[in-house]
Amino acid sequence: MLDIISFDMGIRTWAVTSKVLRRLSRDQSTSKDLDSVTASSSDFSARARIAAATARRKIEKLPLAVQILDDPSSVNQQPESPLFSKLPAELRELIWDYALTGYEDLDALYSLDKPYARPGQAAPLRFAVDLLLTCRAVYLEAFLVPFQANPMVVFDGHPDVVPPDSPLQCTPSNLRLCRKLRPWQFANISSVDMSVQQFMLEGGSIERVSRLSGNKGRHEGHEARGFTLAGYASFGTAKATGALAGDIPLRPGAAETRAALIRSIFMGKKITHLTLRMSRTDWWAWTSCPQMGADDPHEALRLEPMINVTDRRETSGAMLDGYEARKDGREPDFNLDEFEKQGRWGMQFAEYWPDLQTLELVLETYVVKEKQLDSVVKCAKLWTFPLHGGRQLEWNGKEESSVRWHGASKYGYDTELGMSWPNDQPHESRSGDTSVAQWRPITNEIDVEPAQEFVMKSLIFTRRRSVDATVSFDS
């Protein structure tokens, strides 16, 4: 089942196609003194091979489901299986979603001292696509689920934080995803999980990642076509989908059903959920010791969506200034010129992520900097992200979730940057703290050494009607 192979291992070029092309090349270089009968026969043979190769390439681009539905009698409806005879389709869908959601392969744990090892990312993700090989009835119901239930994962930052060997993963500098998914598989993704450094976030990452996922084409209801030479998603208006050369004869009415199925499969699904992550090393001031951040706002964790850059000392207090303004019912005014206004990442969702229903903000830091992170979370609860049509993304009102966890005792960047404070300062226990998560099995002595402690907190923003539906995208 080629579509399963392409998901788990990447698209493979058929050897037979390569052989045909090589033969055609040899045929075209044969001696010109052949008699006319031989030439005519050779031309006919070459055309036949080209037609066969073209048909094969077209079929390769389609999911097996299209070929199966050309002959529905080949599908055993499994009347003796309780899964199909007793459970309604709605419950089976829940089963497929659960079974085909990615899981961590704990037999291949990442080393604890890798900067990308953390809860939810303890090992490479795996997908139980063998389920689709059990029978055609299961396959027809579930062949799109691996793409619908799992997000496209994007890393826009330092390559050291990118975990290896995970499907559905790409970075702007390493577009591995483009070599793994066929257009119809890519079209059925509807969520994105992006990890980003703060300077990339404030430098256009919201737009860049939207081009990787093809949000504009999805929003306009276009079909997935693959990827541009630059690696970005390519979508286009729907083409007529006639019968493919080499197909078996179709039953009456089947051509229309096939065409509708193909259009549905290739039409880009709108991206409705985005997870935006910043790890402990993604902040401007991540290397500053906690006491420096307590004494100087420029050395503290900070994040403000309505200013284009916060690394300068004169803008390092923008987050707290914005909080005070919003608390008083005013939109903050940072005296930006027209060029600077274009760089505000909080204003870019309307254009580049127009179909978002939910935005999850996941922020991580050292436990010894938790007070600084709490300040960011407090300010974020008042943020709104304007969308078109009088809508906006705003905090859903639920308290942030929190996860505390132990990592390694030391990381490579500690030595490179001369950072001693992560191990010098004790981890203060605060009332109401959540317990430390057990996020990976203990395997060796490195897992039981005194460890650095980290905390992740997340907020959910949901799409709602704006109280001020006249909000201007130019202000």
Side-chain angles (χ1 to χ4, degrees):
M1 302 175 73
L2 293 175
D3 44 325
I4 297 176
I5 294 174
S6 72
F7 172 72
D8 210 27
M9 301 174 60
I11 300 175
R12 296 180 176 179
T13 304
W14 277 24
V16 64
T17 303
S18 300
K19 291 179 181 178
V20 167
L21 293 176
R22 286 196 296 270
R23 291 196 194 102
L24 289 174
S25 177
R26 290 196 297 269
D27 289 344
Q28 293 169 357
S29 61
T30 53
S31 175
K32 294 182 179 180
D33 60 356
L34 294 174
D35 59 47
S36 59
V37 175
T38 303
S40 176
S41 175
S42 177
D43 290 344
F44 178 81
S45 178
R47 288 196 298 271
R49 292 191 184 101
I50 292 174
T54 300
R56 185 178 296 110
R57 285 194 296 271
K58 288 182 178 179
I59 293 174
E60 287 176 21
K61 296 179 181 179
L62 295 176
L64 181 62
V66 174
Q67 300 173 49
I68 292 176
L69 290 176
D70 286 342
D71 183 18
S73 63
S74 67
V75 181
N76 183 337
Q77 300 300 327
Q78 306 292 349
E80 297 180 358
S81 169
L83 182 64
F84 287 91
S85 62
K86 294 185 178 181
L87 287 185
E90 294 79 5
L91 289 183
R92 290 200 300 274
E93 289 177 3
L94 294 177
I95 293 173
W96 308 145
D97 285 349
Y98 180 80
L100 292 169
T101 295
Y103 64 92
E104 296 166 289
D105 182 3
L106 297 182
D107 291 329
L109 284 172
Y110 296 136
S111 176
L112 187 61
D113 59 358
K114 295 297 183 182
Y116 47 76
R118 56 176 42 85
Q121 204 167 273
L125 285 181
R126 297 291 182 256
F127 301 85
V129 291
D130 285 352
L131 172 66
L132 303 180
L133 298 172
T134 54
C135 71
R136 292 189 170 193
V138 169
Y139 173 82
L140 287 177
E141 286 197 2
F143 76 100
L144 293 177
V145 173
F147 317 101
Q148 296 170 340
N150 296 285
M152 169 183 168
V153 180
V154 181
F155 292 85
D156 196 4
H158 198 282
D160 286 352
V161 302
V162 180
D165 304 325
S166 286
L168 287 179
Q169 175 181 295
C170 69
T171 71
S173 60
N174 185 3
L175 302 174
R176 284 177 283 175
L177 178 73
C178 303
R179 299 199 299 269
K180 289 180 178 289
L181 295 185
R182 296 178 179 178
W184 66 266
Q185 295 171 328
F186 183 71
N188 281 277
I189 293 173
S190 62
S191 60
V192 174
D193 189 318
M194 62 179 286
S195 297
V196 60
Q197 286 181 292
Q198 188 170 2
F199 88 92
M200 299 295 277
L201 178 63
E202 296 176 355
S205 185
I206 295 295
E207 176 187 359
R208 279 193 303 278
V209 176
S210 79
R211 297 187 186 281
L212 288 177
S213 53
N215 291 359
K216 182 178 180 181
R218 295 172 185 272
H219 177 69
E220 295 174 350
H222 291 171
E223 290 183 352
R225 297 285 177 76
F227 302 90
T228 67
L229 292 177
Y232 293 112
S234 175
F235 284 78
T237 55
K239 293 181 178 179
T241 52
L244 295 176
D247 282 348
I248 61 174
L250 301 179
R251 65 191 187 284
E256 293 77 9
T257 302
R258 163 194 270 259
L261 175 64
I262 293 174
R263 283 195 299 271
S264 174
I265 291 173
F266 278 83
M267 182 178 293
K269 306 307 180 287
K270 296 177 179 179
I271 301 296
T272 58
H273 177 81
L274 171 65
T275 299
L276 195 159
R277 302 178 186 272
M278 286 177 55
S279 75
R280 60 187 180 273
T281 62
D282 288 332
W283 304 85
W284 283 119
W286 76 274
T287 60
S288 300
C289 73
Q291 187 57 48
M292 292 178 63
D295 298 335
D296 182 356
H298 188 62
E299 303 297 338
L301 304 183
R302 57 195 183 274
L303 192 62
E304 169 54 56
M306 295 304 167
I307 193 168
N308 59 323
V309 64
T310 58
D311 70 321
R312 299 191 298 266
R313 181 166 292 278
E314 61 268 25
T315 60
S316 57
M319 180 184 75
L320 297 179
D321 293 341
Y323 173 76
E324 293 299 328
R326 295 181 181 101
K327 190 172 64 172
D328 292 339
R330 299 178 287 108
E331 281 300 312
D333 181 7
F334 298 115
N335 297 316
L336 305 179
D337 60 33
E338 293 305 313
F339 177 77
E340 290 173 323
K341 287 180 180 179
Q342 297 177 18
R344 297 173 295 177
W345 63 270
M347 296 295 289
Q348 295 174 351
F349 291 97
E351 180 176 358
Y352 300 112
W353 301 80
D355 302 304
L356 280 188
Q357 299 296 318
T358 54
L359 167 67
E360 182 177 10
L361 184 65
V362 182
L363 306 174
E364 176 192 275
T365 190
Y366 298 84
V367 163
V368 292
K369 289 189 173 186
E370 187 172 6
K371 289 182 180 179
Q372 296 180 31
L373 185 59
D374 287 340
S375 178
V376 176
V377 170
K378 179 185 72 172
C379 295
K381 290 177 180 178
L382 297 184
W383 295 347
T384 57
F385 302 99
L387 302 171
H388 290 301
R391 303 284 177 173
Q392 65 183 17
L393 294 166
E394 62 182 59
W395 175 48
N396 65 0
K398 298 180 180 180
E399 285 303 306
E400 67 274 12
S401 63
S402 181
V403 177
R404 294 181 62 170
W405 56 283
H406 286 156
S409 60
K410 196 170 186 178
Y411 293 87
Y413 51 73
D414 292 334
T415 302
E416 293 173 7
L417 300 174
M419 291 172 52
S420 60
W421 60 261
N423 289 313
D424 290 345
Q425 302 192 29
H427 302 145
E428 299 178 0
S429 177
R430 292 166 31 185
S431 61
D433 277 344
T434 55
S435 59
V436 175
Q438 179 64 45
W439 60 283
R440 54 179 278 146
I442 296 175
T443 58
N444 52 42
E445 62 277 2
I446 194 175
D447 291 336
V448 296
E449 293 178 352
Q452 296 181 20
E453 191 171 348
F454 310 104
V455 60
M456 283 192 293
K457 300 195 175 187
S458 62
L459 289 176
I460 303 291
F461 297 80
T462 57
R463 187 186 189 99
R464 295 179 182 174
R465 180 169 294 280
S466 173
V467 174
D468 181 11
T470 62
V471 61
S472 171
F473 288 87
D474 299 322
S475 61

